[in-house]
Amino acid sequence: MRILFLLFILFTSKVLMAQTGIIKGRVTGNNEPLSYASVNVKGTGRGASTNSKGYFEIKNVPQGTYGLIITSIGYEAETISITINTNEAVVQNINLKEKPSKLNEVVVTGVSRATQLRSNPVPITVMSKKEIEQHVNNNIIDAVIKGVPGVSAVTTGPNISKPFIRGLGYNRVLTLYDGIRQEGQQWGDEHGIEIDQYGIGRAEVVKGPASLTYGSDALAGVINLIPYIPNGEDGKLNGDFITDYHTNNGMAGTSIGLSYNQNNWKYAFRATAKTAHDYRNKVDGFVYNTGFREFNLSGIARVDKKWGYAQIGATLYDNRQEIPDGSRDSLTRRFTKQVFEAGQDDIKSRPIVSDGELRSYRIAPLHQRIQHYRVYSTNSFKAGEGSISTSLGVQQSVRREYNHPTVPEQAGLYVVLNTLNYDVRYNLPAIGGVETTVGVNGIYQTNRSKAATDFPIPDYNLFDAGGFIFAKKSFGKVDVSGGLRYDNRHISWNNFYVGTDAQTGFGRQVRLPDTAGVSLQFPSFRHTYQGVSGSLGLTYNLSDRLLLKANIARGYRAPNITEIGSNGLDPGAHIVYLGNRSFNPEFSLQQDIGFIAYLPDMDIVAEIFNNNINNYIYQARVNDAEGNPVVIVPGNSTYQYQQSEARLYGAELTLNLHPRSIKWLALDNSVAWVTGINKNPRLIARYGNDAKYLPFIPPLHIRSALKVGLPGTYGLFTKLNARLEADSYADQNHFYALDNTETLTKGYTLINAGLGFTLKPAKAKAAFYEFFVQADNLFDVAYQANLNRLKYFEYFQSSPNGHTGIYNMGRNLSFKVIMHF
């Protein structure tokens, strides 16, 4: 009987396998082959991506009639009905039409469910993988800055960029990875966002309060970095290999990505390594301690079924990042290094850094190490006519800063941040044309100091929960959407004692009951912050290509740990932070008006905004009664957090010209402007213009890029493109000058150029290559960006060459090759 049963199973399996067919063909756009177009058989989870010549093949499709869905970025999606008969190959060639408008693109950030860009009243910008790859950068945030007007970054060297949206940053900008909020002590200046730049397939940027769907920390907006999960032929291993080199700091990056599809399952894996020595410019030469060494691993598994989908992912980030302190020889202006501890260290007598050290890839003893681990799951389940979406993530950020030259293995700062993310949403069936979503999300977080010597923040516990309701409805040409949210965040810590280690002389944490002769650095604290946020907006569709948008939103942000709890030295920032535990939450009320036109020969996007913030928190340098900087720890600045009313207003304008009569030519232009006003009447009355403006506000920014893209194939070469770009920043003379927190920043213009092409293989299924060559700051302009923290790294009142602080990177040539296989 067992033998008969096995024979029956084998026979049945062969019959079922025989009752399948193959779909193959070619996808073109404007009669040119489209690579990486997606071809999916609706309802089966089967699909493929086209190769470099536009060909695809989908095997093992069960017999029946299906809808074949073909999509490609920049083209109208098309669905074709096909019938599969037993053991038959169906050949289907498709020529897609160019999209009349980018407004039909679907976004997932800042909304309750996937929504067309045109119907979302909140200002949102999308960057595709192609746009990200065409900008060779040291990190992913720098790529976003180049592609999205209104986004800037506070930087501390080439690998550290903290995103700002319309003049607001740190915990006011929520960074997401695949929809999961990134938690890595965002209050710090001296580390990046801990995400692999080579693994991102799409970036969606919300400009304006997104507290409705995300709660606290999205008061300025959201940057959602979505990993790349390629489609490919079933049963075949696909992938890409990226190599990237920069001449200025010798940055060498290598990344390999692999993907495999089988039936309804998709798997993706990526490994990346980057290393760089110190960068240089013509004023400072090589800037000591700006090198880095970074490693990334990531993996995703996803299954698509008729009931919905389930996805699980994991990431690992490990970065050894040098942090400069700016010490120099007073006469030669050559960089020096610390070799003794703070008590014995004489800044004027430090030894000069050798040329070999400046060009070395070896990480200096005084550096920081940032490790970030994440495991998460996102799911969607059909529930009748509605659906339920869930996400759950666990992440850990380990941050160590080494600042003891005589004991380099001893961390000055050593904190471990553990975070649990959760999100549950129910998308109700549409009732009377109204689409409604209710949801709850939040985080649970713990922070613990380990074997450190400096303690800028206490050990704390945080629990955050918020519930919201969101609805949208269309009334003819008008789309209306909005909702309300309530948040509750509880934060607490116990008494935190600090003493002196008798053997080393360094500080150490002391625990109860042995607290004799020690200081209470952080008295216990317990507080609950509450906030109501919401938004209401509408989109008026003048036509398929013309839109008017208006939105009003109330944002909410609870104070972060450093703003309320800090009381000590952050070694990597070279700053002693002083917090204020009496701070109230921030509340913003922002109004946005936008006009969007995607015309046959040009794109126009004009957006203006006005944002009033109650209880705005900012950091300011502390001076004594004589006007001299307060020094608590020698060699380090002292900053104290302040709170006042504030107003930010500004505009962004994009004008992209792409004449149909000259299809190979385009001229892209953008302008971004924001002004931040400090509405503290006491400070204004006493100090006048010195206290009138908010700190860290970017100046007027204008970017123009002339692009040439040659259609067709030229021997082995295709997709030839070139661009010439002028990137201009005006003087920033609206700055927070009180106590020399900021100084005037002179304007500058950088000329950048780029060239790209694809090497077309002789065989359709062979590997093909993409090449990118880029020149940034082509004329080697010496400049200091307004948001460059290194501008203020200076130990002397005057300089023999007339330059103080550290300058930004000089001319940089970069080369990137991507091999697809």
Side-chain angles (χ1 to χ4, degrees):
M1 287 297 293
R2 290 183 178 179
I3 294 176
L4 290 174
F5 179 73
L6 289 173
L7 289 174
F8 174 76
I9 293 297
L10 289 172
F11 175 77
T12 303
S13 299
K14 288 187 175 182
V15 169
L16 291 174
M17 289 177 64
Q19 293 177 347
T20 62
I22 298 174
I23 307 171
K24 59 183 180 180
R26 193 184 197 198
V27 179
T28 56
N30 293 332
N31 297 315
E32 290 288 335
L34 290 180
S35 58
Y36 286 101
S38 295
V39 185
N40 294 283
V41 183
K42 188 175 181 180
T44 68
R46 298 180 183 276
S49 291
T50 58
N51 62 17
S52 61
K53 292 188 176 181
Y55 289 102
F56 71 92
E57 184 176 82
I58 306 173
K59 297 179 179 179
N60 300 323
V61 181
Q63 65 178 11
T65 300
Y66 303 95
L68 188 68
I69 305 171
I70 306 97
T71 59
S72 182
I73 295 175
Y75 293 85
E76 290 281 4
E78 189 166 339
T79 301
I80 297 172
S81 179
I82 58 169
T83 301
I84 302 297
N85 296 317
T86 302
N87 206 20
E88 180 182 283
V90 176
V91 178
Q92 186 70 59
N93 296 323
I94 307 101
N95 185 48
L96 297 181
K97 298 178 181 179
E98 280 192 272
K99 281 185 178 179
S101 170
K102 297 179 181 178
L103 296 171
N104 296 322
E105 194 163 13
V106 174
V107 296
V108 298
T109 309
V111 293
S112 60
R113 62 183 93 180
T115 304
Q116 277 192 334
L117 187 61
R118 69 178 310 114
S119 64
N120 185 10
V122 178
I124 185 167
T125 303
V126 177
M127 285 190 71
S128 66
K129 180 175 175 61
K130 179 180 178 181
E131 292 171 316
I132 293 171
E133 287 178 341
Q134 286 179 340
H135 292 291
V136 183
N137 297 283
N138 283 281
N139 62 76
I140 184 63
I141 294 301
D142 285 350
V144 173
I145 290 170
K146 290 185 176 182
V148 183
V151 178
S152 53
V154 163
T155 63
T156 312
N159 198 40
I160 303 175
S161 297
K162 309 286 278 192
F164 271 51
I165 296 177
R166 293 176 168 177
L168 298 173
Y170 298 107
N171 284 79
R172 299 180 184 94
V173 174
L174 185 60
T175 303
L176 308 176
Y177 178 83
D178 205 8
I180 302 291
R181 59 187 294 154
Q182 178 85 3
E183 291 293 326
Q185 298 170 341
Q186 297 91 322
W187 52 268
D189 284 305
E190 63 283 359
H191 61 91
I193 61 167
E194 304 154 9
I195 291 176
D196 183 0
Q197 69 183 83
Y198 299 116
I200 302 303
R202 179 181 174 92
E204 297 182 356
V205 180
V206 178
K207 295 186 287 186
S211 302
L212 173 61
T213 48
Y214 297 106
S216 181
D217 305 343
L219 183 138
V222 177
I223 298 178
N224 189 6
L225 302 173
I226 302 171
Y228 178 55
I229 307 178
N231 280 316
E233 183 181 335
D234 260 19
K236 179 183 177 183
L237 187 67
N238 300 280
D240 60 64
F241 177 79
I242 303 173
T243 182
D244 192 3
Y245 178 74
H246 297 200
T247 60
N248 186 285
N249 60 347
M251 201 284 281
T254 301
S255 182
I256 183 168
L258 301 174
S259 66
Y260 183 80
N261 299 343
Q262 186 64 52
N263 298 325
N264 301 313
W265 285 87
K266 295 179 181 179
Y267 307 92
F269 170 81
R270 181 165 295 278
T272 295
K274 295 195 306 181
T275 186
H277 58 63
D278 296 331
Y279 80 84
R280 65 181 181 269
N281 59 62
K282 66 181 184 182
V283 172
D284 303 308
F286 285 92
V287 178
Y288 180 58
N289 247 29
T290 56
F292 56 88
R293 186 182 301 155
E294 179 184 315
F295 298 96
N296 291 277
L297 292 174
S298 62
I300 292 175
R302 176 184 174 113
V303 60
D304 290 272
K305 295 286 189 179
K306 291 182 178 180
W307 46 259
Y309 74 87
Q311 177 175 309
I312 187 170
T315 65
L316 180 152
Y317 172 96
D318 191 341
N319 181 25
R320 287 176 170 86
Q321 177 74 55
E322 297 178 343
I323 298 295
D325 67 2
S327 69
R328 308 174 190 248
D329 178 75
S330 61
L331 297 178
T332 65
R333 294 291 289 173
R334 294 188 63 182
F335 286 99
T336 60
K337 61 181 179 179
Q338 182 182 356
V339 294
F340 296 108
E341 297 298 332
Q344 296 78 38
D345 179 38
D346 182 0
I347 293 175
K348 296 181 180 180
S349 301
R350 289 181 177 182
I352 291 175
V353 180
S354 68
D355 290 341
E357 289 175 286
L358 294 170
R359 292 173 171 84
S360 174
Y361 284 92
R362 184 178 180 180
I363 300 299
L366 305 187
H367 68 280
Q368 66 172 326
R369 185 179 185 185
I370 305 294
Q371 294 166 289
H372 189 275
Y373 311 94
R374 172 185 15 238
V375 178
Y376 70 98
S377 175
T378 58
N379 310 276
S380 180
F381 309 97
K382 293 181 180 178
E385 296 298 319
S387 64
I388 298 174
S389 300
T390 67
S391 64
L392 183 68
V394 178
Q395 53 188 306
Q396 182 181 77
S397 173
V398 182
R399 179 176 169 193
R400 282 167 284 190
E401 295 179 355
Y402 298 97
N403 65 324
H404 293 293
T406 60
V407 191
E409 68 276 6
Q410 172 63 61
L413 178 70
Y414 188 172
V415 290
V416 177
L417 182 71
N418 295 307
T419 306
L420 171 70
N421 308 80
Y422 63 92
D423 187 306
V424 180
R425 306 182 184 194
Y426 175 41
N427 300 311
L428 283 73
I431 302 174
V434 179
E435 296 182 5
T436 305
T437 299
V438 295
V440 59
N441 51 30
I443 60 174
Y444 173 68
Q445 193 170 78
T446 65
N447 182 84
R448 298 292 182 266
S449 291
K450 299 298 182 180
T453 63
D454 297 290
F455 308 94
I457 58 174
D459 293 350
Y460 69 88
N461 297 328
L462 182 152
F463 179 74
D464 180 281
F468 69 91
I469 180 170
F470 179 90
K472 61 180 180 178
K473 179 177 172 58
S474 296
F475 301 89
K477 292 186 176 183
V478 178
D479 301 310
V480 180
S481 62
L484 289 172
R485 179 188 180 96
Y486 172 75
D487 276 287
N488 187 292
R489 171 171 289 188
H490 181 75
I491 186 169
S492 64
W493 62 80
N494 297 322
N495 286 336
F496 190 107
Y497 298 91
V498 174
T500 301
D501 189 300
Q503 293 182 337
T504 64
F506 297 144
R508 66 183 181 92
Q509 182 180 1
V510 179
R511 304 182 187 277
L512 292 172
D514 186 19
T515 57
V518 302
S519 62
L520 178 59
Q521 186 157 332
F522 303 102
S524 63
F525 178 81
R526 280 169 176 75
H527 194 79
T528 298
Y529 300 95
Q530 298 172 323
V532 176
S533 51
S535 70
L536 178 64
L538 63 85
T539 300
Y540 181 54
N541 297 267
L542 297 168
S543 70
D544 286 342
R545 296 177 179 270
L546 300 175
L547 295 181
L548 282 175
K549 294 190 175 189
N551 190 72
I552 182 169
R554 186 179 198 248
Y556 151 80
R557 184 182 77 91
N560 66 36
I561 182 61
T562 187
E563 292 166 344
I564 57 173
S566 59
N567 182 27
L569 173 67
D570 181 351
H574 303 292
I575 292 176
V576 174
Y577 289 105
L578 302 176
N580 188 327
R581 56 176 59 202
S582 66
F583 280 162
N584 295 315
E586 292 181 345
F587 291 97
S588 71
L589 186 64
Q590 179 165 315
Q591 305 88 36
D592 287 276
I593 298 176
F595 170 73
I596 302 177
Y598 283 104
L599 305 175
D601 294 307
M602 69 177 69
D603 304 333
I604 305 173
V605 181
E607 297 168 336
I608 61 174
F609 66 92
N610 179 66
N611 191 6
N612 289 285
I613 304 179
N614 296 327
N615 308 320
Y616 179 80
I617 302 172
Y618 61 98
Q619 53 180 271
R621 188 175 293 186
V622 181
N623 283 8
D624 59 23
E626 284 73 37
N628 298 313
V630 170
V631 177
I632 296 177
V633 179
N636 298 272
S637 303
T638 302
Y639 281 75
Q640 186 160 24
Y641 285 96
Q642 313 287 332
Q643 188 165 53
S644 70
E645 307 302 292
R647 181 189 176 203
L648 296 99
Y649 57 91
E652 293 109 34
L653 173 65
T654 299
L655 176 62
N656 298 333
L657 305 176
H658 41 79
R660 288 171 294 174
S661 58
I662 318 175
K663 289 189 174 181
W664 49 269
L665 183 67
L667 179 62
D668 294 352
N669 306 275
S670 67
V671 180
W673 159 69
V674 59
T675 295
I677 303 296
N678 187 349
K679 300 177 68 175
N680 186 323
R682 181 184 60 82
L683 287 179
I684 301 299
R686 183 174 181 181
Y687 300 104
N689 284 339
D690 282 358
K692 179 179 179 181
Y693 300 102
L694 298 176
F696 295 121
I697 300 297
L700 175 69
H701 181 200
I702 302 173
R703 176 180 282 120
S704 294
L706 181 66
K707 298 181 179 181
V708 174
L710 299 180
T713 302
Y714 305 87
L716 294 176
F717 301 97
T718 186
K719 298 182 180 179
L720 275 71
N721 64 87
R723 64 183 175 86
L724 182 64
E725 179 183 81
D727 203 9
S728 299
Y729 290 84
D731 292 352
Q732 181 51 293
N733 48 22
H734 293 169
F735 55 91
Y736 187 80
L738 188 59
D739 296 329
N740 289 317
T741 297
E742 289 185 300
T743 58
L744 170 71
T745 304
K746 296 295 293 181
Y748 55 90
T749 297
L750 306 180
I751 302 298
N752 310 315
L755 175 69
F757 59 88
T758 298
L759 189 63
K760 187 178 179 181
K763 296 182 180 180
K765 294 187 177 182
F768 68 96
Y769 301 82
E770 292 182 89
F771 293 82
F772 302 94
V773 181
Q774 185 169 305
D776 290 305
N777 194 2
L778 189 60
F779 296 108
D780 201 21
V781 173
Y783 71 99
Q784 289 177 314
N786 172 258
L787 298 183
N788 176 17
R789 288 182 60 250
L790 300 183
K791 174 188 173 185
Y792 301 99
F793 281 27
E794 179 60 60
Y795 284 88
F796 303 103
Q797 296 296 320
S798 60
S799 165
N801 63 6
H803 299 285
T804 59
I806 299 175
Y807 280 67
N808 285 70
M809 183 181 285
R811 181 190 299 114
N812 182 43
L813 302 180
S814 48
F815 307 87
K816 182 163 67 174
V817 180
I818 305 176
M819 180 182 72
H820 301 272
F821 58 89

